[in-house]
Amino acid sequence: MKKLINDPQNVVAESVEGFALAHADLVTMHTDPLFVARAGGAVAGKVGLVSGGGSGHEPLHAGFVGDGMLDAAVPGAMFTSPTPDAIAPALAVADSGAGVLAIVKNYTGDVLNFETAAELAEADDITVRTVIVNDDVAVEDSLYTAGRRGVAGTVAVEKIAGAAAARGDDLDAVTAVAQKVIDNVRSMGVALTACTVPHAGKPSFDLPDDEIEIGIGIHGEPGRHRIPLAPADEITRMLLDPVAEDLGLTSGEQVLLFVNGMGGTPQSELFVVYRQARKLLEQRGVVVARSLVGNYVTSLEMQGASVTVLRLDDELTALWDAPVTTPALHW
């Protein structure tokens, strides 16, 4: 194992410290417990947004803390949910009196720990709502979930809900728009290689050089099937078709097309995937109105990609376009 680390047990703390130093104009690092919040504290009268999960998926979630997105993010250990005693203070810091929305990916540990943290926060008179992101169409259940996994669609949920909060929507309205995104976003991914968790010191699963895993999760969970390596256009079709069919896309609809890298795939290859995914959507008569390509929800150094499609309407498009200033997303 070759990694730019010191002690494997300190990777998350040292990484978050460096991240906070590099983006001190946008975020503040809290220690004991560890979480990241927007610099300057909660915005008076605005609904707070908090998310979090295991580390190793950077820039998710801390990279999306800032104006127009999250107010706080809670990183757990590598591929491990943060604990309630870290999540609850983040909920408190994000609250300015208008309540807090917790955006949680559908992994059992995340769901249970955020639920416990919400109960602790509510005991301190903080109103908390929760939405569960479950956009992965690959499998219904996995090693980590009951139901579908939450993957790259989380970025769209955080961006659009964050914009709704920034424009002054109340907690019920922000929760409703977040759920609207969840109801209209689907994803599917592929792994070309495994990744190595620092404290494990070896690849998280075995994948021969001439094979790929279709439908992989962001922790290396099994997908739909393992197949011989194929050309990019063929792989892209295997990802896009199930997503489009699950959404029930029809001719004339507008969508956001998001091609996400798993951490070890060059940008040039992600654009090869985007090119084919867009062609396949256009063949269905679907209009790609917005696009995003890059490494936003990663799995350490895994080579691979995911395709996410969000059905858009005028409201969701306007909220996606709204200004955002975070370390990882800004326009």
Side-chain angles (χ1 to χ4, degrees):
M1 180 181 74
K2 294 181 181 178
K3 288 185 178 290
L4 289 170
I5 63 174
N6 298 304
D7 183 340
Q9 302 302 318
N10 296 332
V11 169
V12 172
E14 292 178 355
S15 176
V16 173
E17 181 183 2
F19 167 80
L21 289 169
H23 299 287
D25 57 326
L26 297 175
V27 303
T28 299
M29 175 185 178
H30 293 252
T31 59
D32 194 27
L34 179 66
F35 66 93
V36 173
R38 53 189 291 162
V43 177
K46 186 188 81 69
V47 170
L49 266 68
V50 176
S51 193
S55 294
H57 307 304
E58 290 75 19
L60 192 79
H61 293 273
F64 302 125
V65 173
D67 291 343
M69 282 189 83
L70 300 177
D71 295 280
V74 193
M78 287 291 171
F79 291 1
T80 303
S81 172
T83 57
D85 65 349
I87 300 168
L91 295 171
V93 164
D95 181 48
S96 68
V100 181
L101 175 65
I103 299 172
V104 185
K105 302 188 303 302
N106 190 32
Y107 296 95
T108 302
D110 288 356
V111 172
L112 293 176
N113 288 345
F114 267 88
E115 183 179 279
T116 300
E119 292 172 356
L120 293 172
E122 287 171 347
D124 290 331
D125 296 324
I126 298 170
T127 302
V128 181
R129 300 275 190 276
T130 301
V131 291
I132 306 296
V133 185
N134 58 351
D135 55 307
D136 189 359
V137 304
V139 290
E140 289 295 336
D141 298 289
S142 75
L143 300 174
Y144 298 85
T145 66
R148 294 182 169 185
R149 303 175 292 215
V151 287
T154 309
V155 176
V157 179
E158 293 178 355
K159 168 64 185 79
I160 290 173
R167 74 180 179 186
D169 288 13
D170 65 18
L171 182 56
D172 287 341
V174 174
T175 303
V177 80
Q179 189 59 53
K180 182 178 178 180
V181 177
I182 292 167
D183 293 342
N184 287 281
V185 68
R186 303 288 188 275
S187 303
M188 191 162 171
V190 60
L192 281 63
T193 66
C195 62
T196 299
V197 178
H199 64 262
K202 61 181 181 180
S204 55
F205 59 96
D206 295 322
L207 187 59
D209 288 342
D210 59 349
E211 293 183 348
I212 59 175
E213 183 90 21
I214 297 289
I216 199 75
I218 57 174
H219 306 93
E221 308 97 316
R224 285 191 172 188
H225 44 261
R226 186 169 291 192
I227 63 169
L229 180 63
D233 283 359
E234 185 178 337
I235 294 170
T236 303
R237 181 181 292 276
M238 294 179 193
L239 302 180
L240 189 280
D241 283 353
V243 166
E245 288 159 13
D246 200 275
L247 273 174
L249 292 176
T250 58
S251 180
E253 290 194 286
Q254 296 195 357
V255 300
L256 162 71
L257 173 58
F258 171 24
V259 174
N260 174 66
M262 293 296 186
T265 296
Q267 193 92 349
S268 58
E269 295 177 26
L270 298 181
F271 282 112
V272 171
V273 173
Y274 175 87
R275 160 190 163 275
Q276 176 66 356
R278 181 162 183 148
K279 285 183 177 180
L280 293 171
L281 286 168
E282 290 174 346
Q283 287 171 11
R284 292 171 175 265
V286 175
V287 178
V288 178
R290 298 293 184 272
S291 304
L292 185 67
V293 180
N295 289 285
Y296 294 98
V297 182
T298 63
S299 185
L300 292 169
E301 81 282 19
M302 180 188 287
Q303 293 181 31
S306 61
V307 172
T308 296
V309 177
L310 168 65
R311 175 187 283 111
L312 293 172
D313 61 13
D314 290 345
E315 179 188 35
L316 296 186
T317 302
L319 290 169
W320 177 261
D321 289 346
V324 58
T325 306
T326 70
L329 205 67
H330 47 85
W331 54 71

